[in-house]
Amino acid sequence: MRPAILVIIAALLSFGAPAAAQSQDKQPTPEEMAAKEAERLESLLSLETWQVFYVDSTLQHDYAAMQAELGELQRAKVENYDLYIDIRDKWMEQIDRTYKKYFTPDQWTKYLKSGAARAQKARDKRKAKAEGKKK
């Protein structure tokens, strides 16, 4: 597999963490990424204890599932970058749907304003573009 694909996969798995700050030898586990994101959202949105539990549980499951799917593509030596992005988008959409169930309307609005709305629009745009290619 080309080194550029490995860098892209590592960037997808880090979910926005600066690539230079992470050692390529030690990728964070889904549990570590989930805990870090749950802490960030707890602070940002003033989440209740039960909400933090559900966010952390959701992220642990979904990050692990996403990482497994991305790993399958990598083991199959798939070099189509769009397939990696499609998997990431699918799981991030799932996470957002789950968050919406557990957040209050005010928390959801604040979450969207923190950058999630921009990410959702970007996913929608990629999805529309991909559907346009299929037709």
Side-chain angles (χ1 to χ4, degrees):
M1 180 171 291
R2 286 192 243 150
I5 295 295
L6 294 176
V7 171
I8 291 168
I9 293 169
L12 288 172
L13 293 176
S14 68
F15 305 113
Q22 290 186 2
S23 167
Q24 288 192 356
D25 298 332
K26 169 97 171 69
Q27 287 294 322
T29 65
E31 293 80 14
E32 292 168 336
M33 291 185 299
K36 185 175 180 179
E37 181 65 4
E39 288 174 16
R40 184 186 78 82
L41 291 173
E42 177 182 26
S43 174
L44 178 70
L45 305 174
S46 303
L47 298 178
E48 299 289 331
T49 305
W50 68 268
Q51 290 173 307
V52 176
F53 172 78
Y54 281 113
V55 165
D56 186 60
S57 297
T58 296
L59 292 175
Q60 282 191 37
H61 172 270
D62 291 357
Y63 283 175
M66 177 172 54
Q67 202 169 41
E69 283 190 45
L70 291 170
E72 287 177 29
L73 288 181
Q74 185 180 7
R75 283 187 295 281
K77 301 186 185 314
V78 173
E79 293 186 10
N80 184 344
Y81 173 76
D82 292 337
L83 294 176
Y84 291 91
I85 295 298
D86 289 346
I87 289 172
R88 182 180 183 277
D89 285 352
K90 175 184 88 171
W91 285 104
M92 296 312 290
E93 284 178 31
Q94 175 63 36
I95 289 168
D96 280 352
R97 282 193 302 271
T98 303
Y99 282 172
K100 194 166 186 176
K101 292 179 193 175
Y102 300 125
F103 292 171
T104 66
D106 288 341
Q107 289 169 331
W108 180 249
T109 300
K110 194 169 186 179
Y111 171 70
L112 292 175
K113 288 180 181 177
S114 74
R118 197 171 333 122
Q120 287 176 352
K121 286 180 186 176
R123 286 194 306 263
D124 290 344
K125 187 175 178 180
R126 284 190 295 271
K127 189 175 183 177
K129 183 178 177 184
E131 288 174 359
K133 287 181 180 179
K134 291 179 185 177
K135 294 180 179 181

